Amino acid sequence: MTNHKEALFAKFLDYLHSEQPLPEYLGEPPESANSFDPYQMVAEWTALRHEVKQQGKLLRSSQDVLVQALEVTRADKEQLQIRLEESQKQAWGQFEQQQEKLLKDLLGILDALDQACTYWQEEIEALSATSKPKLATQKSFWEKLGQWFTGKESHSIVSEKSLTSSDLSEILTSNQQGVELIRRSLLELLRQRRVVPIPAQGKPFDSQTMYAVGRESRTDVTDNTVIQEVVRGYLWGDRILREAQVIVAAQGTLD
């Protein structure tokens, strides 16, 4: 095998020492040329080969460093994405808590408006049933109303003698309509926020959306039916914003 390589190398040297005609495309031969040293060429080729190997090693090392840097960057990106998602979830959770508290505060205002509407309705019905409903209470109320407008305790712009049944009915109806208008506006505002009442009156008791505050023995309705809505419940989208507090019917005698 060694002899074969030596023979090939010898032929190569003979070829290099031989004078070969120049190809036409090279043009005129140069006036002067350095003498050819095949051993120097082999040495330079060996050095070049060594340099190529060294550059290859450096290239592979650089590639390894780049791959590691990319892995670190990818891991950092994933961690950053996770922290960003957690931060967004936390911020959204805090926003929902604040919004839920605000909506519950608005429900308190709505409860007060419901009670006011019920009060005015009862007053109107009482006024229709008798010519002088709840005389002492009405006198005190209207006198206080006059004192509030005038700022005087000794004079009242409204008194029992100056108000007829028709006047009282008109005032009560006007007050009821005003409160009802505010109540409906608030209900519409809540509806736009996906807050809607939970149907309870006359419905079967649902432990998921209702809380029974009492039971009443009834024979005219089905057992476990809601017969009174003490506090109205509300849904917020698919969540329960506030349970309905109800009284349910019970068959038979309660102990």
Side-chain angles (χ1 to χ4, degrees), residues 119-120 123-124 127 131-150 152-153 155-176:
Y119 169 78
W120 293 121
E123 290 293 316
I124 293 174
L127 184 63
S131 59
K132 293 184 178 180
K134 304 178 183 178
L135 186 58
T137 302
Q138 287 184 2
K139 178 179 179 181
S140 174
F141 172 80
W142 295 113
E143 287 180 352
K144 288 181 180 180
L145 180 63
Q147 293 167 7
W148 183 81
F149 276 108
T150 61
K152 299 178 181 179
E153 296 184 359
H155 297 86
S156 170
I157 63 171
V158 184
S159 66
E160 175 193 354
K161 294 181 179 179
S162 64
L163 289 175
T164 65
S165 176
S166 176
D167 293 334
L168 285 174
S169 178
E170 182 177 350
I171 293 174
L172 292 175
T173 302
S174 176
N175 288 336
Q176 183 196 32

Side-chain angles (χ1 to χ4, degrees), residues 2 27 48 51 67 85 92 112 154 157 188 194 219 226 243:
T2 304
L48 178 61
E51 181 67 20
V67 169
E85 292 176 356
W92 178 251
S154 58
I157 63 171
E188 176 61 21
R194 302 182 300 119
T219 58
V226 176
E243 287 182 324

Side-chain angles (χ1 to χ4, degrees), residues 94-103 193 236:
Q94 293 176 352
F95 171 74
E96 280 194 332
Q97 290 178 357
Q98 295 174 357
Q99 191 174 21
E100 183 176 357
K101 183 180 182 302
L102 174 61
L103 292 175
R193 302 299 188 276
W236 181 21

Side-chain angles (χ1 to χ4, degrees), residues 22-235:
L22 295 176
E24 296 180 358
Y25 62 83
L26 292 180
E28 296 294 331
E31 296 180 355
S32 62
N34 297 328
S35 60
F36 174 74
D37 187 353
Y39 294 100
Q40 182 181 358
M41 185 200 71
V42 173
E44 292 177 354
W45 178 80
T46 303
L48 178 61
R49 181 180 178 184
H50 178 72
E51 181 67 20
V52 170
K53 287 183 178 181
Q54 291 297 112
Q55 293 298 327
K57 290 179 180 180
L58 291 175
L59 178 60
R60 286 191 295 270
S61 177
S62 300
Q63 289 176 340
D64 293 339
V65 172
L66 180 60
V67 169
Q68 292 177 0
L70 289 175
E71 290 294 333
V72 172
T73 303
R74 187 179 296 108
D76 291 343
K77 182 180 179 181
E78 292 176 355
Q79 291 296 326
L80 179 61
Q81 184 66 26
I82 292 174
R83 289 196 294 268
L84 179 60
E85 292 176 356
E86 291 177 351
S87 178
Q88 289 177 343
K89 289 180 180 179
Q90 184 177 4
W92 178 251
Q94 293 176 352
F95 171 74
E96 280 194 332
Q97 290 178 357
Q98 295 174 357
Q99 191 174 21
E100 183 176 357
K101 183 180 182 302
L102 174 61
L103 292 175
K104 287 183 177 180
D105 292 341
L106 291 178
L107 290 185
I109 298 175
L110 185 59
D111 291 339
L113 293 174
D114 288 340
Q115 294 173 4
C117 288
T118 302
Y119 169 78
W120 293 121
Q121 183 62 36
E122 290 175 352
E123 290 293 316
I124 293 174
E125 293 175 355
L127 184 63
S128 300
T130 177
S131 59
K132 293 184 178 180
K134 304 178 183 178
L135 186 58
T137 302
Q138 287 184 2
K139 178 179 179 181
S140 174
F141 172 80
W142 295 113
E143 287 180 352
K144 288 181 180 180
L145 180 63
Q147 293 167 7
W148 183 81
F149 276 108
T150 61
K152 299 178 181 179
E153 296 184 359
S154 58
H155 297 86
S156 170
I157 63 171
V158 184
S159 66
E160 175 193 354
K161 294 181 179 179
S162 64
L163 289 175
T164 65
S165 176
S166 176
D167 293 334
L168 285 174
S169 178
E170 182 177 350
I171 293 174
L172 292 175
T173 302
S174 176
N175 288 336
Q176 183 196 32
Q177 290 175 351
V179 173
E180 179 64 23
L181 179 61
I182 299 174
R183 175 181 172 274
R184 290 181 180 179
S185 299
L186 183 54
L187 277 173
E188 176 61 21
L189 177 65
L190 291 172
R191 186 193 65 79
Q192 294 175 2
R193 302 299 188 276
R194 302 182 300 119
V195 177
V196 295
I198 298 175
Q201 188 71 30
K203 301 291 183 180
F205 177 75
D206 181 9
S207 60
Q208 299 295 324
T209 58
M210 305 175 189
Y211 175 76
V213 297
R215 295 175 67 85
E216 183 178 329
S217 179
R218 295 283 293 269
T219 58
D220 57 335
V221 294
T222 307
D223 186 37
N224 223 33
T225 299
V226 176
I227 57 176
Q228 183 180 349
E229 190 179 44
V230 180
V231 177
R232 184 167 299 166
Y234 289 87
L235 294 174

